[in-house]
Amino acid sequence: MSFAEDSQISASGVQASKLSGARRGVEPGQNATKRLQTELMQLMTSPAPGVSAFPSADGNLLSWRATIEGPDDTPYSSLTFKLSFEFPSNYPYAPPTVLFRTPIYHPNVDFSGRICLDILKDKWTAAYNIQTVLLSLQSLLGEPNNASPLNGEAAELWDKDPTLFKTKVMDRHKDVEDD
Amino acid sequence: MPAAVASNWRDRRRQVFQSVFQTDIAQSTPQSTPGSLHSAPGLPFGGPAASLLGQTLRQQQLQQQHRGFSPGEHPFLQRTTPDSLFQTSAQPLFAPNKDQERYDRAWHVVTARIALPSSATADDSFGTLAADSQHQVSRKPHTDSGGIDSTFHEAFAALVNARSLLPGATRTDDILAWHVRQVRAHFAQHVIPLLNGCVGDDEGDAEESSDDEEVDASRWRARRKGNYYERHMVVVMSSIRTLEAALRLYFFGLNQLLSGFARLADTSPEAAKDTELLNARFRRDLHALVSNSASEGLKRAIKAVLIRLAGTILGISSPDEAVAGGEQRRPAAPGQHDLKVQASRERLIELVQQLHNVGLAGERFQVFFAEVMDVMMSDFVIGAYAGLWSAPDPRSFSTAMESVSLSTSLSGASPCTMSLNDWVENHFARLSFEVLACISPNSQGTLPVSLADLKTYQSLALGRLAALRIRELFDIVLAWPTSRPALDDLRATITTAARRKQLTDSLSRVLQTRLLHPGCSTLEILRTYISIIRTLHALDPSKVLLSHVEPGLQLYLCQREDAVRVVVTGLLANSEEIRAVRGAEDTPKQEGDGPRTTAPGRGKHYARALASSTSPTNPGPSTSLSQANNPLPKVDSAQTTLDRLGYHPTKLVELALILNNPSQTQPRRHRTSPATTTTTTTTATAAVANPDRDPDPELDWNDMSWLPDPIDAGANYRRPRSEDVIGTLISALGSEESFIKEFTAVVAERLLLPPTSSSSSSNSGTPLVAVKTDRAAGLEFEQELRVLRLLKRRFGEASLQGVDVMVRDVVESRRLDARIQLRRGGEAAAGVDGLGGVEYHAQILSRLFWPGLDREHFLLPEVVVEQQRVYEAGYERLKSRRKLTWLNQMGRARVELELGDRRVEVDCSTVEATVIYAFQPSEGGGSGGDEAEDAPPVVVVRKSVDELYAQLQMDEDLIAAALQFWASRGVLRRVAGAPNTYAVAETVDERNAAATSGATAAAAGVQSDSADQPKEEEELEPAAAAAAEAAAKPAVLAKDRERREIYWRYIQGMLTNASASMPLAQMAMMMKMLIADGFPWSNEELQDFLGEKVLEGEMEVSGGKYRLVKK
């Protein structure tokens, strides 16, 4: 998704609210759900390989579940990771909170699933979307940022002992139940 | 008697306590009194012995009084308090005062006379006995004025005029104040415990229920049935008796004093006091004492009794009576001569008077009474009118209906308001008057209930009614035509801007909770919306109310993607559907009563009659009450009503009805197309009489029903002309563009629908072409044109140009087609055309103006292509510089098949025709079917999907669908053993064989081989390439396929991420919620789809939940 496209979305939103006139107040969070619906449609019409996402079963559009397949040629190949996305009501102007629900052994992910990724923090822009986040995370699996690790041991082992790393990955990985 | 025991015990406890802690120092008693009083009944005067334990504070007082006189005798008393110690030490200094002594003696005489009995706690009926004894005493002085009397008066005079007569007496006191103190003490000591005793029996179990009196009272009324009332009555009566006795006692003393004053007035006027004033003051103090000390239990009892009696008088049955009667009775104003009511009334008045006499009818009682009356009014309004939207009297009901439908009496009273006003005036106000007259202090002065008060009561009652109706408004809307009288109530009661606001706010809130949620289909919402429009319009023709309610609805409808489509299809509902509804409506209309049909201008009797047929009489009180309580069943019943009467549940046929109803659209149409009004001669008079015909109704000085604009109207408010359901709906659906787009799409679909009646054009038929062109005059699109005109008026000509072009295209292409056919016919006659009688018609559509024209590529049979070429040439000759692009998939064809033993004639799509044409024996194919007879083919043609794909370049799904179509017609049959291969079923036997079992297909094949020369002739008439029929399967199929693909991805995404397994309903719910364009599938469709996926092995079902198959 390009930035231009995104600004178009917001522009059309403005237009719509103008059209509808003063008698319709725009509910806060309405924009976020609208955008998420659009994103869902995009995800469905042009899915990216190895990643998928969907709103959670309770019907709350601000809470999503996603799946990433471990890329080949990485220690995570053939593994599947579940993630949770919690969107703020001012999404996309603030990043979603993304957590690994599947336990993962990774230099940039801590043991409670928190992720250290700049685009989910200060580098976030409204031009990102769920798909780009998922793809970034997928590439993070293959190319961890060992300079700022959350899991120091993993960062060390990544370079030093790939075999042990792989074992740790396999040890830690465990399919999570649905909630 | 437990109460007496309790009081006794309390006394003992207090005495023991006081003997140690001397709490009674605050007791202000005369500092010096003659101590020789021993004559008080039951007062053994002596030391504080054990025998004193049964005594009370009164005794202590006496001891204290005595103390000043003979301090040394009672060491116990000497060390009572610092105060008394001071007194005792000080007194001997002044002791040898003669005057003081005389004064003290006089004091003693007087106090002995008026002293109250100390205690009778052991006695069951303290009050009465004491009163009796006192009465005897009190009567004595009046009857025989013996020596006691004179001594008393002397003493009294001495006391009162102590200053002049006994200047030496320094310690004097006011005898009146003493009496008052004594009374207070006595009341606190004896009467209150007794009163508590009266209530006490009840209190134990009353308190356990609830602290809140009102809830408590009503609950108890319900639980304890009649018993409860009687128990309270007993409490009240015994309390009253006790108080009466006590008051007699007190007043006896007072009267003694007063008579002393009276006598004194003769001799020394300066000392006399105004006995009247004293009496009144004493009474006032006493009443204050009584009313302030009334216990909660007593209050509760009084309230309960009041509620019961007032309820009976006002015609509100209490629950216990209702239970006894077997069924709930609605409150109604009681008749004039209802004995029970009269009895209750007398009883209440008597009771109130008694309460007044004992001082329980003070301000507090008035508050009680006001509260009770308040509850009564609410009970009556809710009980009598909730869910009952018509007057109890059918005669007044119908007259009200008439007056309202003529919309002459906009501010007139409705039946309910009239009966309510009557009730307030004749029962409610009367009761208040009677009760207040009893208790008001100056009954001779101003009336306790004035006319202005009555008006206030009435307006209060109407306010309650308004609140009730406002609460019911949504149900009123749902029951629209039957609920008209309720609207009259509303109209009569909603008179202030505040109430109007309350109404709109309340309705908006109810709409949010009951209508605007995902559980309601768009159709339901729109249907309710129509009812709202009508209801509120009937309520307030100025439409201001509606405009206040609308925004929420509109906002929600904008989120419903299918709303526009529902409205458009509803508008364009075909005549059969309308007729179905009409038919359903006509029957009840005949039984509708006379007055209703006198208002043709309103144009709503169809709906009214519709509803009146379902509930010809007023709904039974009990049922309507239950409906009001739980509204959901009501919605259901309304729905079933509609269904039963032939309403097509999937279409908003109401709109088409309104559109076809001339009176509804008259004001709009007479501007744009006056010609249409002539078609409806029956209603022409109504139209003329309609004031809307006037150029500017604002300037119509003869309009007697003119009303100023409502005060809550906006600045740019313009008086709307009519109910205008359609207009309101359309404007509610948000942007014009989306509506026009949808309308265009639907109209395009309908314009291209195969003409149902005369589509049969055979190879021989030139005359049929003529039929077709006749129809092209535009009659068949009457409905569409009417809607188009309506929309043009609303949106302007320019925005609907596309639709105009479409309609013109259809008409024009028929004309062109006729001309081309004519020319071609001439050529054919000249023998130029040898194309085997294939007739070919085309519709020419302007490319830019038609929505959804997609090309689907496939190869048409050569014959058809040839025809297309000829046609194209003909067209280009007529219209130079224009080019035809053929949309092959959007056509219809009539196919005649000559099979081995039968002829089959089928109307089908061009795709299907093309597929079956491919089954023509190859030697006969190519140039046409007419030479097929010369060369009879020997083998049965069989083709597989793949072969057909190669031959036709058609989408496989389309091929499969077409094959399926022909198989279902018995023309083709599946060849056993070869997947996706079909063969022509030349004979019925074959067909049957194929139909009965696929397993015997091999045998059938043999059979067909042995069958005599199969002769086959296919004649294709694809009625046009460009005869674009948007409804034609291929386009839909392509779209549908794409859609299914997307949906499948959604389902995959859902089951991968949201939850690994989900039940169908939840999936459907998620899809509906998440797909921005709306999810049009029903649960069944989704189930079918999922079923397919299960068959394909993509999914599995376990325990009613679907999950993806792990790969």
Side-chain angles (χ1 to χ4, degrees), chain B residues 310-326:
Chain B
T312 313
I313 293 167
L314 295 176
I316 301 160
S317 63
S318 57
D320 43 305
E321 280 178 314
V323 168

PDB file of all heavy atoms in Angstrom, chain B residues 310-326:
ATOM      1  N   ALA B 310     -58.467   4.612  48.598  1.00  0.00           N
ATOM      2  CA  ALA B 310     -58.479   5.524  47.458  1.00  0.00           C
ATOM      3  C   ALA B 310     -58.547   4.740  46.157  1.00  0.00           C
ATOM      4  O   ALA B 310     -59.241   5.130  45.217  1.00  0.00           O
ATOM      5  CB  ALA B 310     -57.239   6.404  47.487  1.00  0.00           C
ATOM      6  N   GLY B 311     -57.844   3.616  46.125  1.00  0.00           N
ATOM      7  CA  GLY B 311     -57.870   2.790  44.925  1.00  0.00           C
ATOM      8  C   GLY B 311     -59.281   2.345  44.611  1.00  0.00           C
ATOM      9  O   GLY B 311     -59.740   2.403  43.471  1.00  0.00           O
ATOM     10  N   THR B 312     -59.980   1.893  45.624  1.00  0.00           N
ATOM     11  CA  THR B 312     -61.347   1.444  45.387  1.00  0.00           C
ATOM     12  C   THR B 312     -62.221   2.604  44.921  1.00  0.00           C
ATOM     13  O   THR B 312     -63.015   2.466  43.994  1.00  0.00           O
ATOM     14  CB  THR B 312     -61.920   0.860  46.683  1.00  0.00           C
ATOM     15  OG1 THR B 312     -60.970  -0.021  47.232  1.00  0.00           O
ATOM     16  CG2 THR B 312     -63.208   0.131  46.409  1.00  0.00           C
ATOM     17  N   ILE B 313     -62.021   3.729  45.551  1.00  0.00           N
ATOM     18  CA  ILE B 313     -62.866   4.868  45.203  1.00  0.00           C
ATOM     19  C   ILE B 313     -62.582   5.326  43.782  1.00  0.00           C
ATOM     20  O   ILE B 313     -63.484   5.683  43.036  1.00  0.00           O
ATOM     21  CB  ILE B 313     -62.626   6.016  46.196  1.00  0.00           C
ATOM     22  CG1 ILE B 313     -63.116   5.599  47.564  1.00  0.00           C
ATOM     23  CG2 ILE B 313     -63.335   7.280  45.749  1.00  0.00           C
ATOM     24  CD1 ILE B 313     -62.666   6.499  48.666  1.00  0.00           C
ATOM     25  N   LEU B 314     -61.313   5.265  43.399  1.00  0.00           N
ATOM     26  CA  LEU B 314     -60.939   5.772  42.083  1.00  0.00           C
ATOM     27  C   LEU B 314     -61.059   4.718  40.998  1.00  0.00           C
ATOM     28  O   LEU B 314     -60.752   4.965  39.853  1.00  0.00           O
ATOM     29  CB  LEU B 314     -59.505   6.300  42.121  1.00  0.00           C
ATOM     30  CG  LEU B 314     -59.303   7.502  43.023  1.00  0.00           C
ATOM     31  CD1 LEU B 314     -57.857   7.878  43.080  1.00  0.00           C
ATOM     32  CD2 LEU B 314     -60.124   8.669  42.539  1.00  0.00           C
ATOM     33  N   GLY B 315     -61.501   3.543  41.385  1.00  0.00           N
ATOM     34  CA  GLY B 315     -61.725   2.530  40.367  1.00  0.00           C
ATOM     35  C   GLY B 315     -60.490   1.767  39.974  1.00  0.00           C
ATOM     36  O   GLY B 315     -60.442   1.156  38.916  1.00  0.00           O
ATOM     37  N   ILE B 316     -59.482   1.794  40.815  1.00  0.00           N
ATOM     38  CA  ILE B 316     -58.282   1.022  40.518  1.00  0.00           C
ATOM     39  C   ILE B 316     -58.315  -0.216  41.399  1.00  0.00           C
ATOM     40  O   ILE B 316     -58.217  -0.120  42.626  1.00  0.00           O
ATOM     41  CB  ILE B 316     -57.016   1.835  40.794  1.00  0.00           C
ATOM     42  CG1 ILE B 316     -57.042   3.094  39.950  1.00  0.00           C
ATOM     43  CG2 ILE B 316     -55.781   1.023  40.505  1.00  0.00           C
ATOM     44  CD1 ILE B 316     -56.136   4.152  40.465  1.00  0.00           C
ATOM     45  N   SER B 317     -58.458  -1.329  40.782  1.00  0.00           N
ATOM     46  CA  SER B 317     -58.577  -2.541  41.581  1.00  0.00           C
ATOM     47  C   SER B 317     -57.222  -2.918  42.117  1.00  0.00           C
ATOM     48  O   SER B 317     -56.207  -2.832  41.427  1.00  0.00           O
ATOM     49  CB  SER B 317     -59.121  -3.671  40.723  1.00  0.00           C
ATOM     50  OG  SER B 317     -58.215  -3.955  39.690  1.00  0.00           O
ATOM     51  N   SER B 318     -57.219  -3.305  43.355  1.00  0.00           N
ATOM     52  CA  SER B 318     -55.953  -3.754  43.932  1.00  0.00           C
ATOM     53  C   SER B 318     -55.722  -5.204  43.528  1.00  0.00           C
ATOM     54  O   SER B 318     -56.657  -5.914  43.180  1.00  0.00           O
ATOM     55  CB  SER B 318     -55.998  -3.616  45.443  1.00  0.00           C
ATOM     56  OG  SER B 318     -57.082  -4.349  45.925  1.00  0.00           O
ATOM     57  N   PRO B 319     -54.471  -5.619  43.553  1.00  0.00           N
ATOM     58  CA  PRO B 319     -54.137  -6.945  43.045  1.00  0.00           C
ATOM     59  C   PRO B 319     -54.904  -8.062  43.748  1.00  0.00           C
ATOM     60  O   PRO B 319     -55.286  -9.035  43.119  1.00  0.00           O
ATOM     61  CB  PRO B 319     -52.645  -7.060  43.321  1.00  0.00           C
ATOM     62  CG  PRO B 319     -52.170  -5.673  43.465  1.00  0.00           C
ATOM     63  CD  PRO B 319     -53.298  -4.869  43.975  1.00  0.00           C
ATOM     64  N   ASP B 320     -55.131  -7.906  45.031  1.00  0.00           N
ATOM     65  CA  ASP B 320     -55.790  -9.009  45.721  1.00  0.00           C
ATOM     66  C   ASP B 320     -57.214  -9.188  45.223  1.00  0.00           C
ATOM     67  O   ASP B 320     -57.700 -10.297  45.064  1.00  0.00           O
ATOM     68  CB  ASP B 320     -55.767  -8.800  47.233  1.00  0.00           C
ATOM     69  CG  ASP B 320     -56.096  -7.374  47.600  1.00  0.00           C
ATOM     70  OD1 ASP B 320     -55.401  -6.485  47.088  1.00  0.00           O
ATOM     71  OD2 ASP B 320     -57.039  -7.150  48.362  1.00  0.00           O
ATOM     72  N   GLU B 321     -57.853  -8.078  44.928  1.00  0.00           N
ATOM     73  CA  GLU B 321     -59.196  -8.195  44.378  1.00  0.00           C
ATOM     74  C   GLU B 321     -59.140  -8.870  43.023  1.00  0.00           C
ATOM     75  O   GLU B 321     -59.963  -9.711  42.704  1.00  0.00           O
ATOM     76  CB  GLU B 321     -59.801  -6.810  44.193  1.00  0.00           C
ATOM     77  CG  GLU B 321     -60.361  -6.222  45.460  1.00  0.00           C
ATOM     78  CD  GLU B 321     -60.887  -4.834  45.204  1.00  0.00           C
ATOM     79  OE1 GLU B 321     -60.179  -4.046  44.545  1.00  0.00           O
ATOM     80  OE2 GLU B 321     -61.985  -4.556  45.651  1.00  0.00           O
ATOM     81  N   ALA B 322     -58.144  -8.449  42.258  1.00  0.00           N
ATOM     82  CA  ALA B 322     -58.035  -9.005  40.914  1.00  0.00           C
ATOM     83  C   ALA B 322     -57.833 -10.504  40.985  1.00  0.00           C
ATOM     84  O   ALA B 322     -58.423 -11.263  40.224  1.00  0.00           O
ATOM     85  CB  ALA B 322     -56.885  -8.350  40.167  1.00  0.00           C
ATOM     86  N   VAL B 323     -57.011 -10.924  41.910  1.00  0.00           N
ATOM     87  CA  VAL B 323     -56.766 -12.353  42.039  1.00  0.00           C
ATOM     88  C   VAL B 323     -58.050 -13.060  42.413  1.00  0.00           C
ATOM     89  O   VAL B 323     -58.392 -14.116  41.888  1.00  0.00           O
ATOM     90  CB  VAL B 323     -55.671 -12.607  43.088  1.00  0.00           C
ATOM     91  CG1 VAL B 323     -55.620 -14.076  43.433  1.00  0.00           C
ATOM     92  CG2 VAL B 323     -54.345 -12.132  42.556  1.00  0.00           C
ATOM     93  N   ALA B 324     -58.774 -12.431  43.294  1.00  0.00           N
ATOM     94  CA  ALA B 324     -60.026 -13.051  43.692  1.00  0.00           C
ATOM     95  C   ALA B 324     -60.970 -13.127  42.507  1.00  0.00           C
ATOM     96  O   ALA B 324     -61.692 -14.099  42.334  1.00  0.00           O
ATOM     97  CB  ALA B 324     -60.662 -12.242  44.819  1.00  0.00           C
ATOM     98  N   GLY B 325     -60.951 -12.125  41.683  1.00  0.00           N
ATOM     99  CA  GLY B 325     -61.855 -12.091  40.551  1.00  0.00           C
ATOM    100  C   GLY B 325     -61.432 -13.032  39.436  1.00  0.00           C
ATOM    101  O   GLY B 325     -62.197 -13.268  38.522  1.00  0.00           O
ATOM    102  N   GLY B 326     -60.239 -13.532  39.479  1.00  0.00           N
ATOM    103  CA  GLY B 326     -59.816 -14.499  38.488  1.00  0.00           C
ATOM    104  C   GLY B 326     -58.976 -13.875  37.393  1.00  0.00           C
ATOM    105  O   GLY B 326     -58.026 -14.461  36.927  1.00  0.00           O
TER     106      GLY B 326
END
